[in-house]
Amino acid sequence: MTIKEQLQHKIDFKTKPLGSLGTLENLALQIGTIQNTLSPTLQNPTIVVFAADHGIAKEGVSAYPQEVTFQMVMNFLLGGAAINVFSKQNNISLKIVDAGVNFDFEPNHNLFIAKIDYGTKSFLHEKAMTETQLQQCFDKGNEVVNSIFENGCNIIGFGEMGIGNTSSATMLMSYLCNLPIDECVGRGTGLNDTQLENKIAILKQAQAFHGEIKNPKEVLQTFGGFEIAQMCGAMLAAFENKMLILVDGFIASNAFLVAYKINPSIIDNAISCHLSDEFGHRNLLSYLSIEPLLKLNMRLGEGTGCAVAYPIIESAVSFLNNMASFESAGVTNKD
């Protein structure tokens, strides 16, 4: 029998009706298959939050000014954000990456300095980054994940911070899923109706300016942020290291979309942690044929969905490893 067949047999003969643990059974099967073992473990769980600034933010697509990016990174480093609270609650290590914030941070043991530049260019007028910068993003993302992997981590979650990054994610989704902007765009940090109409108009203008682009890396170069590009490279590195990949909400899912377009096999290692309240996320997960674990009407980012979903993933591994079988418990199975 293959490892997948052995795992399914182990799951089916636990002391429960067949399939009665639902999604937990699917998770146990997935995790055991990734780790190629009947007794999987979750080692040194870590969430990485990539942060960067966006040139498109200067075009009026966000309800918040650009300086909120660096202010929130400071909040992460001081332990005051939602992701700090949820990570601490669930004993998850938290690392922050300066992928391209318009600020110079003091050294901090929880901060990776991987700055490509002090923010991207505005994709309303030019490509967000150069081809060289895109490659640097992939290299940096790879370095970050490899250092975490070498520290014994086999389950990694991805979050982000960057004012304007829902606009970048919308463009990635529209191009790579071949969907109109209206089916991808959302209110981001909380735009009102007038601001949302303005955001849609600006993004359609950018689409008209750049025209048709098919290559996923070029789409990322044109519209992505440094944090999205580094996250994409990091996800690909995590897959190469056979790690379990926890994907947060709308932004992280679009970084994953690019990674999936580059290497479709990455989907085998990925868990979509929640359905974001950001409008386009449902359409994106439908495109990827992924069922999210949770729906909590969250749209914060930061990797918060990964942290909140983690105990469910723990439960899947725990029942697989610790629950009795019909045989070991002396319980009569059905005919």
Side-chain angles (χ1 to χ4, degrees), residues 168-230:
S168 281
T170 296
M171 299 303 285
L172 296 178
M173 179 180 167
S174 179
Y175 271 78
L176 296 177
C177 298
N178 197 26
L179 288 170
I181 282 171
D182 303 73
E183 291 182 30
C184 308
V185 73
R187 295 181 185 271
T189 48
L191 300 177
N192 61 35
D193 289 347
T194 303
Q195 291 169 322
L196 180 60
E197 285 175 17
N198 180 62
K199 178 179 179 178
I200 291 169
I202 288 168
L203 298 186
K204 287 182 176 178
Q205 191 180 333
Q207 198 168 47
F209 176 78
H210 290 284
E212 188 174 301
I213 308 170
K214 294 291 187 185
N215 183 281
K217 282 192 172 181
E218 189 183 352
V219 173
L220 184 58
Q221 179 196 341
T222 306
F223 302 110
F226 293 134
E227 86 281 31
I228 296 174
Q230 286 195 18

Side-chain angles (χ1 to χ4, degrees), residues 18-30:
L18 205 62
S20 60
L21 283 176
T23 298
L24 294 180
E25 298 190 18
N26 299 336
L27 285 171
L29 182 65
Q30 179 185 12

Side-chain angles (χ1 to χ4, degrees), residues 46-296:
T46 302
I47 291 174
V48 190
V49 181
F50 291 83
D53 277 304
H54 291 251
I56 195 65
K58 297 166 186 169
E59 311 290 351
V61 294
S62 175
Y64 284 82
Q66 193 177 67
E67 59 263 27
V68 170
T69 303
F70 91 77
Q71 291 167 353
M72 280 304 298
V73 171
M74 294 298 296
N75 194 21
F76 298 150
L77 296 174
L78 291 170
I83 187 57
N84 299 96
V85 172
F86 298 142
S87 295
K88 185 177 180 182
Q89 173 192 344
N90 294 316
N91 297 310
I92 300 168
S93 298
L94 180 64
K95 299 294 180 184
I96 313 301
V97 180
D98 173 10
V101 180
N102 189 24
F103 188 82
D104 287 312
F105 296 98
E106 295 293 321
N108 185 297
H109 70 282
N110 286 323
L111 178 69
F112 287 95
I113 301 294
K115 195 188 296 288
I116 306 299
D117 202 347
Y118 293 89
T120 50
K121 306 293 185 186
S122 170
F123 61 69
L124 185 59
H125 310 292
E126 58 188 308
K127 288 185 183 294
M129 65 187 84
T130 66
E131 199 171 338
T132 299
Q133 287 176 324
L134 177 66
Q135 186 56 53
Q136 288 172 336
C137 284
F138 276 77
D139 293 343
K140 292 290 187 184
N142 193 64
E143 285 174 25
V144 167
V145 165
N146 284 341
S147 71
I148 291 169
F149 174 71
E150 286 162 11
N151 200 35
C153 171
N154 68 359
I155 174 167
I156 186 167
F158 292 95
E160 44 57 46
M161 177 63 217
I163 295 300
N165 65 8
T166 59
S167 292
S168 281
T170 296
M171 299 303 285
L172 296 178
M173 179 180 167
S174 179
Y175 271 78
L176 296 177
C177 298
N178 197 26
L179 288 170
I181 282 171
D182 303 73
E183 291 182 30
C184 308
V185 73
R187 295 181 185 271
T189 48
L191 300 177
N192 61 35
D193 289 347
T194 303
Q195 291 169 322
L196 180 60
E197 285 175 17
N198 180 62
K199 178 179 179 178
I200 291 169
I202 288 168
L203 298 186
K204 287 182 176 178
Q205 191 180 333
Q207 198 168 47
F209 176 78
H210 290 284
E212 188 174 301
I213 308 170
K214 294 291 187 185
N215 183 281
K217 282 192 172 181
E218 189 183 352
V219 173
L220 184 58
Q221 179 196 341
T222 306
F223 302 110
F226 293 134
E227 86 281 31
I228 296 174
Q230 286 195 18
M231 195 172 4
C232 177
M235 288 172 171
L236 290 165
F239 175 72
E240 291 301 320
N241 287 323
K242 296 183 169 58
M243 301 166 85
L244 191 62
I245 298 166
L246 306 186
V247 185
D248 191 36
F250 184 62
I251 316 298
S253 295
N254 274 287
F256 179 79
L257 172 66
V258 183
Y260 169 76
K261 290 289 184 177
I262 294 168
N263 183 359
S265 297
I266 196 173
I267 205 155
D268 295 337
N269 288 45
I271 294 173
S272 173
C273 291
H274 76 121
L275 175 63
S276 169
D277 221 25
E278 187 69 9
F279 175 74
H281 197 217
R282 184 185 299 275
N283 291 336
L284 176 54
L285 295 184
S286 176
Y287 176 85
L288 290 166
S289 299
I290 293 177
E291 194 67 38
L293 278 187
L294 301 170
K295 184 187 183 302
L296 300 173

